[in-house]
Amino acid sequence: MQQPYNVYEDRCPTRQVLDRLADKWALLILDRLQGAPVRFNQLRRDIQGISQKVLSQTLKKLERDGLLSRSVFATVPVTVEYALTDLGQSLIQTVSTFAHWAEQHMDAVLLAQVKYDEGAASTSGA
Amino acid sequence: MQQPYNVYEDRCPTRQVLDRLADKWALLILDRLQGAPVRFNQLRRDIQGISQKVLSQTLKKLERDGLLSRSVFATVPVTVEYALTDLGQSLIQTVSTFAHWAEQHMDAVLLAQVKYDEGAASTSGA
DNA sequence: CTTTTGTGGTTACTAAAAGAAACTAGGTGG
DNA sequence: CCACCTAGTTTCTTTTAGTAACCACAAAAG
């Protein structure tokens, strides 16, 4: 008995899910929510470079897919908290490893880039 | 002694790496290369919906970052094989888990979407 | 001996999305 | 009254992603 879903297939609904999750901002948001709920503007401050629009959009998509929950508290000013759901928890270890992989392997990547660019230079050069 | 790299920082080079890896096509390519080298057109056939342009571009970026290697064989017609490097191998388990997560949790995602859309309907409706 | 098929790409065009910045709305404090 | 906090939305511009066509080579088909 094999699975009904195959992400390699064009029209499989998993492909859309992958497309939404395989996003720089989505990964950073999920990673940031690891451990405890975080508020909108806190996410905005912590994830440097993200705009309100993209943060808002990405949060909506992740909420719709059931990976995180949105809670509004009637404080003054209003508090909106985002937190991982159980579904989000099922992915967070993988997301975290993926998002931080570059931090561990950055030197190797930079070295590879230098080598690649040298090769490209010699092709067009001598 | 803490790490010099932090993916949450806007100008950290890891951010660019994350941006390139956090891509639907990059993930599917890396996942497909797991186990054995694969040729260009084989990748194109297996990863349904990818275009030559995007496949070519993505392979170049992944090669530049040192995650995969490109080997040309002077056969007729020419054979070009792509394979994971050691650096690529260091990420493949995470990539594979991530890429196939949706296949395991698709039902939960679909359920969440229905619930979310119902809520949105009731907001604008009654 | 011309057409089709296969290889592995590149190039131009177009549609969609991402990003920057301003604006909204409700309430507090100066 | 104006500025500032919250959490967003809207508008506009720029960038990216995707579609489709084209290229060069060689072999096989007709």
Side-chain angles (χ1 to χ4, degrees):
Chain A
M1 172 155 166
Q2 68 181 72
Q3 278 184 210
Y5 298 115
N6 178 6
V7 77
Y8 280 95
E9 284 176 18
D10 204 2
R11 296 182 186 180
C12 185
T14 55
R15 182 64 74 82
Q16 273 101 61
V17 174
L18 179 63
D19 198 25
R20 279 193 292 273
L21 294 179
D23 171 72
K24 183 178 48 177
W25 302 123
L27 292 174
L28 289 172
I29 289 170
L30 290 174
D31 185 65
R32 184 61 191 80
L33 293 183
Q34 193 172 17
V38 183
R39 298 174 62 178
F40 185 88
N41 277 330
Q42 189 62 48
L43 285 170
R44 190 156 88 88
R45 280 188 292 267
D46 291 349
I47 302 170
Q48 293 181 22
I50 197 169
S51 67
Q52 286 113 319
K53 177 192 153 191
V54 169
L55 178 56
S56 175
Q57 280 179 350
T58 308
L59 286 169
K60 270 187 194 167
K61 289 174 188 172
L62 292 175
E63 190 195 354
R64 181 167 185 268
D65 285 349
L67 288 149
L68 54 83
S69 62
R70 179 178 182 273
S71 304
V72 181
F73 300 96
T75 54
V76 167
V78 66
T79 297
V80 180
E81 256 184 20
Y82 292 91
L84 290 177
T85 59
D86 288 347
L87 194 59
Q89 290 288 351
S90 76
L91 186 62
I92 196 63
Q93 205 58 61
T94 301
V95 163
S96 184
T97 303
F98 188 81
H100 295 287
W101 177 88
E103 292 173 352
Q104 257 88 51
H105 298 85
M106 196 62 226
D107 294 333
V109 170
L110 289 172
L111 187 67
Q113 289 177 353
V114 169
K115 281 188 182 174
Y116 182 92
D117 294 344
E118 277 174 1
S122 70
T123 301
S124 59
Chain B
M1 172 157 165
Q2 66 182 72
Q3 276 186 207
Y5 299 114
N6 179 6
V7 77
Y8 280 95
E9 285 175 17
D10 204 3
R11 297 182 187 180
C12 185
T14 54
R15 182 64 75 80
Q16 272 101 59
V17 173
L18 179 63
D19 198 25
R20 279 193 292 274
L21 293 179
D23 171 72
K24 184 177 50 178
W25 302 124
L27 291 174
L28 289 172
I29 289 170
L30 289 173
D31 185 65
R32 183 62 191 79
L33 293 182
Q34 192 172 18
V38 183
R39 297 175 63 179
F40 185 88
N41 278 327
Q42 189 62 46
L43 285 169
R44 190 155 88 88
R45 279 188 291 269
D46 291 349
I47 302 169
Q48 292 180 23
I50 198 169
S51 68
Q52 286 110 322
K53 177 192 150 189
V54 169
L55 178 56
S56 175
Q57 280 179 349
T58 308
L59 286 168
K60 270 186 195 168
K61 289 174 187 171
L62 293 175
E63 189 196 354
R64 180 166 185 271
D65 286 348
L67 289 150
L68 54 81
S69 63
R70 179 178 182 272
S71 305
V72 182
F73 300 96
T75 54
V76 169
V78 65
T79 298
V80 180
E81 256 185 20
Y82 293 90
L84 290 176
T85 59
D86 288 347
L87 194 59
Q89 290 288 350
S90 76
L91 186 62
I92 196 63
Q93 204 58 60
T94 301
V95 164
S96 184
T97 303
F98 187 81
H100 295 288
W101 177 88
E103 292 173 351
Q104 257 90 50
H105 299 85
M106 196 63 225
D107 294 332
V109 171
L110 289 173
L111 187 66
Q113 289 178 353
V114 168
K115 282 188 183 174
Y116 182 93
D117 294 345
E118 276 173 1
S122 70
T123 301
S124 60

